[in-house]
DNA sequence: GGATGCCCATTTGTGCACAAATGGGCTGCG
DNA sequence: CGCAGCCCATTTGTGCACAAATGGGCATCC
């Protein structure tokens, strides 16, 4: 019997997922700012592959609304204005609540540990806020929250919408539409409140807290944008 | 000033969309049965293109969960059992109702005409039911219903889940888990009831009627599957 | 001087040949 | 006779060269 050592060479699918997640994260953390052109050739070179498989990744990102390719011109990171995202945010509110209603599940030991770790990091961040690290912590927290439902299609859709909209938050920070220090405190409260609800086993309340924070975060960005115009 | 005649030659993007929708429809109407292998070379030949752009279409279909590619083996239409679709159906129920709550819009003249046409065809189908034509009418009706909300992300997500699950209905007909003639009558009632709600301008009720029919349809398929086992 | 049309560098899209991977059949050994 | 291992046809995945398309710069003409 032949024992195949696990992934001596990375499979095509794994590599696709890895590169896809990497570029997606760069877009969400504004390493690639909205409007920036992504060179197929440069990216292919960076990841040590040819344009063909890289184009597959870009095509996926395009279907997710994160980039847009134009023949003869280039591939660009999509831009977004807070005013245009109302529809998406309203939908995210509803989906957040669904997480607490549709097949909710309590965290297992591993997930509990991740929640605790995020709480710790959140408190550490209060002393010296850093936009990018904060955004990354926000992503990690979101990816934990989505695991509070067993409904896989709901998870997938929720993730999709999250990655479409999360950049606007970091963008608002850099545009001074919202205050980073305030946001870190709000986030820390959110994490603690949700953990407390989870400790009580009240998954629906945890979902409603998340919903409320998504809504208020949107309102703060909207208000900041309007103030800035005036 | 140069007047560019509109699409003398089809753009790459339009061609992609056209082929994608065509293959998706073939899968949903069971022209390509679950489990069937799709030959990249044959499909590329049929559409008069090379494998490269066709593979792009297949990759999109794979991200939508309609096919699955395996290196060295082939690309296969995904199979699905009614028992595994509970999560997806429960989510579809919620999204259907959201259509009536999140930015609902009354039909314009064109959409009204489409609803009337579908009602007419539905009644014509009562006399001589045909599974494939019925499934097609079902798709058309769904695509009209989704236009009752202005929330574009909600539309997109709803469509995605619909195309993932709609095959199971036609599959249940062929497996005699549900009765085609009964289904045609139920469908005709659904169309009429929803049109009546729309005539009253009651979009939320229209959505709830749709929700109820999705749920009952699922229950009938589930029951049929269980009876068949017994 | 201004506008118009052409040329060309740049970038995405396509076709094709080859690499990688899989499964089935065949062959040879015990 | 059974089974283990190899070979090869088939299919998806990759690399690469070229086609298509775009925009900007430049020359030319009015």
């Amino acid at each position: 019997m032949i024992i195949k050592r696990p992934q001596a060479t990375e499979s095509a699918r794994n590599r696709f997922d890895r590169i896809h997640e990497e570029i997606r994260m760069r877009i969400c953390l504004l390493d690639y700012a909205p409007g920036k052109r992504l060179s197929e050739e440069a990216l292919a070179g960076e990841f040590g592959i040819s344009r063909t498989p890289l184009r597959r990744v870009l095509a996926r990102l395009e279907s997710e609304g994160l980039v847009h390719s134009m023949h003869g011109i280039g591939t660009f990171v999509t831009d977004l204005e807070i005013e245009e995202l109302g529809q998406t945010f309203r939908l995210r509110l509803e989906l957040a609540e669904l997480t607490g209603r549709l097949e909710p599940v309590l965290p297992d030991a591993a997930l509990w540990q991740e929640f605790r770790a995020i709480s710790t990091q959140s408190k550490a961040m209060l002393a010296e806020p850093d936009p990018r690290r904060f955004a990354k912590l926000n992503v990690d927290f979101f990816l934990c929250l989505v695991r509070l439902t067993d409904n896989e299609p709901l998870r997938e859709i929720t993730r999709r919408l999250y990655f479409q909209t999360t950049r606007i938050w970091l963008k608002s920070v850099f545009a001074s539409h919202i205050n980073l220090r305030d946001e870190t405190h709000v986030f820390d409260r959110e994490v603690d409140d949700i953990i407390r609800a989870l400790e009580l086993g009240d998954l629906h309340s945890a979902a409603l807290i998340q919903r409320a924070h998504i809504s208020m975060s949107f309102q703060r960005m909207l208000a900041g944008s309007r103030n800035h115009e005036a």
Side-chain angles (χ1 to χ4, degrees), chain A residues 129-149:
Chain A
D130 171 80
R132 194 178 180 284
R133 273 186 55 220
F134 186 20
K136 179 68 169 60
L137 191 59
N138 208 302
V139 172
D140 292 340
F141 184 53
F142 168 80
L143 291 177
C144 285
L145 287 178
V146 89
R147 287 159 65 188
L148 294 176
T149 176

Side-chain angles (χ1 to χ4, degrees), chain A residues 190 193-194 197 204-214 216:
Chain A
E190 178 184 1
D193 289 348
I194 287 182
H204 193 204
S205 291
L208 287 177
I209 294 167
Q210 189 199 2
R211 184 195 150 118
H213 275 89
I214 295 172
M216 290 188 290

Side-chain angles (χ1 to χ4, degrees), chain A residues 5-11:
Chain A
R5 93 182 81 168
Q7 303 300 7
T9 72
E10 188 178 28
S11 80

Side-chain angles (χ1 to χ4, degrees), chain A residues 109-202:
Chain A
L111 188 51
W112 266 120
Q113 196 167 354
E114 291 190 54
F115 274 118
R116 306 284 187 202
I118 286 167
S119 175
T120 305
Q121 291 180 60
S122 169
K123 285 176 200 325
M125 185 110 35
L126 292 176
E128 39 177 340
D130 171 80
R132 194 178 180 284
R133 273 186 55 220
F134 186 20
K136 179 68 169 60
L137 191 59
N138 208 302
V139 172
D140 292 340
F141 184 53
F142 168 80
L143 291 177
C144 285
L145 287 178
V146 89
R147 287 159 65 188
L148 294 176
T149 176
D150 246 356
N151 192 302
E152 185 50 38
L154 176 59
R155 286 185 182 189
E156 186 187 326
I157 284 171
T158 305
R159 277 193 293 258
R160 186 185 178 88
L161 291 175
Y162 174 79
F163 286 118
Q164 269 178 24
T165 56
T166 189
R167 287 178 288 158
I168 194 67
W169 182 89
L170 199 47
K171 200 181 160 192
S172 295
V173 169
F174 287 129
S176 298
H177 290 176
I178 54 178
N179 179 279
L180 177 59
R181 192 166 293 272
D182 292 348
E183 294 291 322
T184 58
H185 280 86
V186 170
F187 178 74
D188 188 59
R189 275 288 278 272
E190 178 184 1
V191 173
D192 277 358
D193 289 348
I194 287 182
I195 288 181
R196 212 167 300 135
L198 292 180
E199 283 170 344
L200 294 171
D202 190 346

